[in-house]
Amino acid sequence: MTANIVRAIPASPVAVPKATQFRRLLDPKELSFIMEAHNGLSARIVEEAGFKGIWASGLSISAALGVRDNNEASWTQVLEVLEFMSDATSVPILVDGDTGYGNFNNMRRLVTKLSQRDIAGVCIEDKLFPKTNSFIGHAQPLADIDEFCGKIKAGKDSQLDDDFSIIARIEALISGWGLDEALRRAEAYHSAGADAVLIHSKQSTPDEVLAFTKEWANRCPVVIVPTIYYDTPTQVFRDHEMALVIWANHNMRAAMQAMQDVSAEIFQTESLVGVEKRIPTVREVFRIAGNDELAEAEARYLPQNGTDYRAIVLAASRGAALGSLTDDKPKCMIDVRGQPILRRQVGMLNAAGVRDVTVVRGYKKDAIDLPSIETIDNDDYANTGELHSLDCARDALNGACLISYGDILFREHMLDTLLRAEGDIVIVADALWREREQSAEGLVRDLVVGDRAFSTDYLDDAPVRLLNAGGEIGEETATGEWVGLLKLSEVGAKTVQAELEAMKADGSLGRGDVPSLLSRLASKGQDVHVQYITGQWLDIDDALDLARARNLL
Ligand code: SPV
Ligand code: MG
C-alpha cells in the first residue's frame, strides 16, 4: 500500500481504504456513479465535483496521450498515468484494463501493480489483445470463455487488498452474439470470481441491457456504460437495480472541445483578449494543483530566508534638509553613484530573496517609478508621520515582513543577519553609533535602549530585549541607534497591526514615528529583540550623508 504518499489533497488519516470505498459503490441497493478522468488534473476535478469514484478510461487516456485506443500505449505507460491520478485524489479509481494486456500472467502482474498503487479495481473485457474500441467496426472476436475465466482467477489471486475489485466486461451484445451468450458468459465470469459484471451495449436504447439485467437478477452487481443510450432517464437504471453507472469519456470530450475552440480563436484573432475571461485563471490552476499545501510545507520545512518575507519601505517624506536636491523628487530617489538610493535598497532586498516590495509614496510620488515594486500612496504625507504611512500599507502588513526606511543604505550582511535573527519583532541597531558623525543640526537620532549592551563575546548569543526607543533617550543610557530596519514574523505583524489600531484609537497614530510604536510595545512587555550591528550603514539626511554614502559604496 502507498500509505506514505504526500497528496496535494491529503487523505484523511482515518480514511476508508480506496478499494473498500469502491466495493461500497458496487452495492446494488443504491445506484452509484463514477466519472471519467484521464490524468491527475481531470481526476481531481472529478473528485471536486463530488463523484465518489473515478473511471480511468482507456479511450480517454489514450486520446490524451495522442494515441489510439488499440493498446498503443503500453500498460506501464498507463500505470504511470494512473499513479498521478491516484496521488492526486482520495476517491477510488476503477481502471479500464482493456483485455488485461495479454494472458493470465500479464493480468497477474497488472493486478499486483494496480494494488500497489492504491487503485481500487480493474475492469477487463472479453476480447483479444490488442483490443479495439468497442464502438469501432462490427463483431469483434470474443475471448474464449475458459481462457477469460482463468484471467479473472489469476487476477483475484494476485490482488494485495481483499477488497480490490475485478469487473468482467461482457462484449457479447456488442459483437452480436445475443442475450443468451451474454448471460452464459456472465455466469462463467461470476463463478470465476468476478466481483461484478459490466454489460456493454452500443445500441441507442437501453433495451438489450435492461433485458440482460432482468434475466441476470443481480446474481452479482451490474455495471453499465450508457454512452450511446445516453438519453435514458437515470431512474430507469435505478428501477432495474443496477449498481454502477460509468460516465465514460465526457471529460476528455469536453476538454477537446474547449481546446479546439480556444486554439482556433487565438490563432484567428492573434490575441488572448477574447478567451481570457472565459477560461480558468492561472490562480485557479495553482489552487487545484494544491499550491497552498506546498506553501505551508515550505514554512514548516525550509530554512527561513528572505523569500518568506515581503518588505514595506516608508518613503513618503521629502527630506527637506537636502535642499534643492529634493525639489523634484523625494530623497529616496536621489542618485548615489548612478542609482537612486531606493533602487539600491530594493536591489539589496531582492538579492536577499525578498521579491515583494511595497513602497509607501507621498512627496513627489510620481518620481518613484521603479520597476517591480508595488506602491501605496500616503497623500496626506505633509500632515502625517511614518506610522500613518505604515497604516496606509496595512494590507501588506499581514504576514512576515520587513519594514525599512527608504533613505537608508546598508551592506548585504546586515540583511542576512536580520533575516536569521530569532524573534517575532526584531530591530537592527548600530552598537557603534557614537562613532558616527552627527547629522545635520536638529535631526534627531533614533536611539534605543536594550536590556544588554553589544557584546563581542563569541559565546554571547542570547537575544537582547528592547527596553525603550525614541527621541527622549539620553546618550548615556542608549545602547544603540535604530538604523531604520526591522523584521516582523506573522505573529509580530499582527502585534504591530493591533498597536496601530490602539494608537489610532487614542489619537497618537497620525504623526507618530516607528520608534514611538516600538517604545509602546516595549513598555507593554512585548518582546522586541535588538539585533546589534557595528556600523557600515547610513541614512541620508543631508549633503554630508550623501558624501559618506559614496564612500560606503
Ligand atoms: C473506455 O472508456 O475506454 C471504455 C468504455 O472502454 S467505451 O469506450 O464505452 O467502450
Ligand atoms: Mg476502454
Side-chain angles (χ1 to χ4, degrees):
M1 285 289 108
T2 48
N4 296 329
I5 284 174
V6 177
R7 299 170 199 284
I9 300 177
S12 115
V14 290
V16 177
K18 287 181 176 181
T20 309
Q21 290 182 47
F22 184 73
R23 270 299 165 87
R24 293 176 184 171
L25 300 183
L26 285 179
D27 184 348
K29 286 205 270 306
E30 190 188 347
L31 182 64
S32 298
F33 305 88
I34 60 175
M35 176 75 190
E36 171 262 321
H38 48 274
N39 55 24
L41 172 65
S42 53
R44 191 165 287 165
I45 287 171
V46 167
E47 177 170 1
E48 279 197 359
F51 282 99
K52 298 287 181 274
I54 296 166
W55 168 244
S57 155
L59 173 66
S60 300
I61 291 173
S62 302
L65 292 173
V67 296
R68 289 164 288 214
D69 188 16
N70 290 70
N71 294 124
E72 289 185 345
S74 74
W75 74 274
T76 54
Q77 288 172 322
V78 173
L79 200 62
E80 296 247 309
V81 174
L82 295 172
E83 189 163 2
F84 279 103
M85 292 171 63
S86 182
D87 290 351
T89 51
S90 59
V91 293
I93 297 174
L94 174 66
V95 174
D96 176 359
D98 291 342
T99 58
Y101 306 102
N103 71 2
F104 80 92
N105 191 37
N106 303 89
M107 177 70 176
R108 290 199 299 188
R109 208 166 150 69
L110 173 69
V111 168
T112 305
K113 289 290 152 192
L114 293 177
S115 278
Q116 286 171 347
R117 279 161 179 73
D118 209 10
I119 302 297
V122 64
C123 175
I124 52 168
E125 60 200 60
D126 54 358
K127 295 197 311 219
L128 306 182
F129 179 86
K131 56 74 60 83
T132 300
N133 187 277
S134 302
F135 301 140
I136 293 175
H138 315 278
Q140 296 180 18
L142 297 186
D144 173 78
I145 294 183
D146 291 338
E147 193 266 342
F148 196 71
C149 286
K151 225 184 248 186
I152 294 169
K153 284 184 194 143
K156 289 309 291 179
D157 288 344
S158 307
Q159 66 191 45
L160 303 178
D161 184 320
D162 287 346
D163 280 339
F164 185 88
S165 295
I166 294 185
I167 296 180
R169 165 165 154 181
I170 299 160
E171 292 281 312
L173 299 179
I174 291 205
S175 288
W177 288 84
L179 184 59
D180 285 349
E181 177 69 10
L183 288 164
R184 197 160 73 88
R185 284 175 176 263
E187 191 58 59
Y189 303 160
H190 173 45
S191 305
D195 300 292
V197 292
L198 186 159
I199 183 70
H200 208 8
S201 165
K202 59 177 180 182
Q203 287 189 358
S204 57
T205 68
D207 298 351
E208 62 179 9
V209 166
L210 300 182
F212 173 90
T213 33
K214 218 162 145 202
E215 289 290 325
W216 180 245
N218 260 334
R219 287 203 277 285
C220 74
V222 174
V223 181
I224 57 165
V225 185
T227 303
I228 309 295
Y229 50 100
Y230 66 87
D231 58 359
T232 307
T234 298
Q235 189 56 38
V236 173
F237 307 141
R238 271 201 187 93
D239 293 345
H240 283 77
E241 293 179 342
M242 290 167 182
L244 184 67
V245 173
I246 298 176
W247 310 121
N249 49 42
H250 302 79
N251 271 324
M252 181 268 291
R253 286 162 60 194
M256 269 178 72
Q257 183 71 62
M259 292 190 281
Q260 284 166 334
D261 290 350
V262 104
S263 291
E265 181 166 341
I266 293 173
F267 178 75
Q268 276 152 21
T269 61
E270 297 185 342
S271 166
L272 303 175
V273 170
V275 306
E276 180 57 31
K277 292 282 187 297
R278 66 181 155 89
I279 58 177
T281 59
V282 174
R283 196 173 284 272
E284 170 63 0
V285 178
F286 296 151
R287 184 197 66 77
I288 207 155
N291 281 55
D292 284 354
E293 191 279 339
L294 179 58
E296 280 164 27
E298 282 172 350
R300 261 198 316 278
Y301 300 126
L302 281 180
Q304 291 254 305
N305 61 29
T307 53
D308 305 314
Y309 289 85
R310 56 171 56 185
I312 300 171
V313 180
L314 304 177
S317 67
R318 171 175 179 173
L322 283 153
S324 63
L325 284 173
T326 57
D327 278 352
D328 61 348
K329 51 181 166 303
K331 68 174 165 182
C332 67
M333 291 307 286
I334 290 177
D335 192 285
V336 175
R337 287 207 184 175
Q339 267 194 51
I341 298 164
L342 184 61
R343 166 168 281 197
R344 234 175 243 290
Q345 194 190 107
V346 171
M348 200 75 87
L349 289 165
N350 289 169
V354 183
R355 312 294 307 177
D356 186 348
V357 179
T358 301
V359 177
V360 185
R361 313 181 298 183
Y363 175 74
K364 299 285 179 202
K365 64 183 180 187
D366 293 334
I368 297 185
D369 58 354
L370 303 179
S372 74
I373 59 166
E374 298 283 326
T375 57
I376 289 177
D377 297 337
N378 172 7
D379 287 322
D380 197 21
Y381 66 90
N383 304 308
T384 60
E386 295 158 17
L387 291 183
H388 183 78
S389 288
L390 185 58
D391 194 47
C392 291
R394 64 185 162 274
D395 285 347
L397 188 63
N398 66 356
C401 69
L402 301 173
I403 298 174
S404 172
Y405 287 164
D407 60 352
I408 57 171
L409 285 172
F410 43 79
R411 295 260 168 89
E412 255 169 55
H413 61 77
M414 179 168 129
L415 210 46
D416 288 345
T417 307
L418 177 62
L419 287 170
R420 269 183 240 280
E422 278 178 31
D424 288 321
I425 305 175
V426 187
I427 68 168
V428 181
D430 184 4
L432 301 186
W433 60 279
R434 286 190 173 86
E435 293 178 21
R436 270 169 28 95
E437 279 177 73
Q438 186 66 47
S439 288
E441 226 22 60
L443 285 172
V444 184
R445 290 180 149 189
D446 293 324
L447 297 181
V448 300
V449 187
D451 66 353
R452 282 179 307 124
F454 174 67
S455 159
T456 53
D457 184 348
Y458 172 71
L459 294 174
D460 183 6
D461 61 356
V464 175
R465 291 195 165 71
L466 182 76
L467 300 176
N468 199 1
E472 296 86 52
I473 293 171
E475 298 203 351
E476 337 60 62
T477 48
T479 60
E481 176 179 2
W482 183 49
V483 308
L485 179 66
L486 63 86
K487 177 181 91 162
L488 303 175
S489 69
E490 195 174 339
V491 172
K494 284 205 178 89
T495 307
V496 166
Q497 286 263 25
E499 199 57 34
L500 287 175
E501 285 308 313
M503 293 180 84
K504 221 183 277 180
D506 69 22
S508 56
L509 180 91
R511 285 188 173 273
D513 58 8
V514 179
S516 70
L517 174 100
L518 294 172
S519 69
R520 278 177 70 117
L521 292 173
S523 71
K524 289 180 173 174
Q526 195 74 51
D527 251 0
V528 178
H529 289 186
V530 179
Q531 177 66 49
Y532 288 120
I533 56 158
T534 52
Q536 298 205 315
W537 69 283
L538 49 80
D539 53 354
I540 314 283
D541 285 325
D542 56 20
L544 192 63
D545 290 335
L546 261 183
R548 282 193 208 116
R550 286 177 192 128
N551 291 335
L552 178 80
L553 298 169

